[in-house]
Amino acid sequence: MANKRVSLYIAASLDGFIADELGSVEWLESVDSDGDAGYQAFFDNVDTVVMGRTTYQQIFSLTDTFPYSKKDVYVFSNKKAGSADEYADFVSGNINSWLNEIEGESIWLVGGAELVKQFLKEKAIDKFVITIAPIILGEGIPLFESDHRHHLVLEDVKRFGQFAQLVYRNEE
């Protein structure tokens, strides 16, 4: 697993939510952005995409075209583990075992919150790219739910219109 790098690249509200109480991220569209907030450059440098089942299902409500078709895509799902569809392989189990089994070296952890929690528990996230939207939702799905303290090192801060992007690396 030494050559594998997992990056969490995700947007959150100022109060730390990745989706509203209904699981929607439509509120992100109301924020003025400057370009794609570095998305394309980030995306071009990953070979593998991993997400939870709810996040996977949400993609199909947001777009008509599956955006990750040129990458290896894995979806953690207890219900569908061991199967595949035209876009993704469905997996379950231990995060570190899965990382050791896949061929990809640059992995994007898309979300959602439950999978992020599992990756945090296993200390399997190397880089955190968190794009903060200037909106306070008040309630919703929190970005981080962790039972442990994680020490990070700030690598970069960028502004994209009204978004602030913070880049941290895991120092553990």
Side-chain angles (χ1 to χ4, degrees):
M1 202 171 76
N3 293 347
K4 299 190 190 229
R5 306 289 299 163
V6 176
S7 297
L8 173 65
Y9 183 98
I10 199 164
S13 64
L14 185 59
D15 55 348
F17 296 105
I18 58 173
D20 66 19
E21 64 278 4
L22 300 175
S24 173
V25 294
E26 289 181 13
W27 49 272
L28 284 169
E29 296 171 15
S30 68
V31 180
D32 290 332
S33 174
D34 183 14
D36 68 356
Y39 171 80
Q40 194 61 53
F42 173 82
F43 187 70
D44 289 346
N45 286 304
V46 298
D47 52 40
T48 304
V49 176
V50 61
M51 67 193 79
R53 183 185 49 79
T54 303
T55 301
Y56 182 69
Q57 291 172 330
Q58 177 90 10
I59 289 167
F60 296 101
S61 68
L62 297 173
T63 181
D64 294 332
T65 307
F66 188 70
Y68 313 124
S69 60
K70 295 183 179 172
K71 308 290 181 181
D72 291 333
V73 179
Y74 296 91
V75 176
F76 270 79
S77 170
N78 291 326
K79 293 180 181 177
K80 296 180 92 174
S83 66
D85 66 16
E86 62 185 299
Y87 304 111
D89 289 319
F90 295 90
V91 297
S92 67
N94 179 278
I95 300 296
N96 287 320
S97 296
W98 171 78
L99 284 168
N100 284 322
E101 292 170 9
I102 64 167
E103 292 183 20
E105 293 183 3
S106 182
I107 299 121
W108 174 18
L109 172 57
V110 177
E114 187 58 38
L115 192 57
V116 170
K117 182 178 181 179
Q118 290 177 39
F119 269 75
L120 278 173
K121 183 178 179 185
E122 297 298 325
K123 297 184 170 131
I125 303 173
D126 301 294
K127 184 180 275 190
F128 297 76
V129 183
I130 313 296
T131 304
I132 305 297
I135 185 169
I136 297 172
L137 294 177
E139 61 182 338
I141 299 170
L143 172 55
F144 295 118
E145 289 186 46
S146 179
D147 300 332
H148 306 287
R149 187 174 293 182
H150 298 270
H151 295 278
L152 308 175
V153 175
L154 181 65
E155 286 191 338
D156 199 8
V157 177
K158 293 180 182 161
R159 180 179 179 166
F160 297 98
Q162 290 298 303
F163 287 100
Q165 188 173 81
L166 308 171
V167 180
Y168 295 95
R169 72 176 154 76
N170 193 347
E171 79 172 14
E172 298 175 358

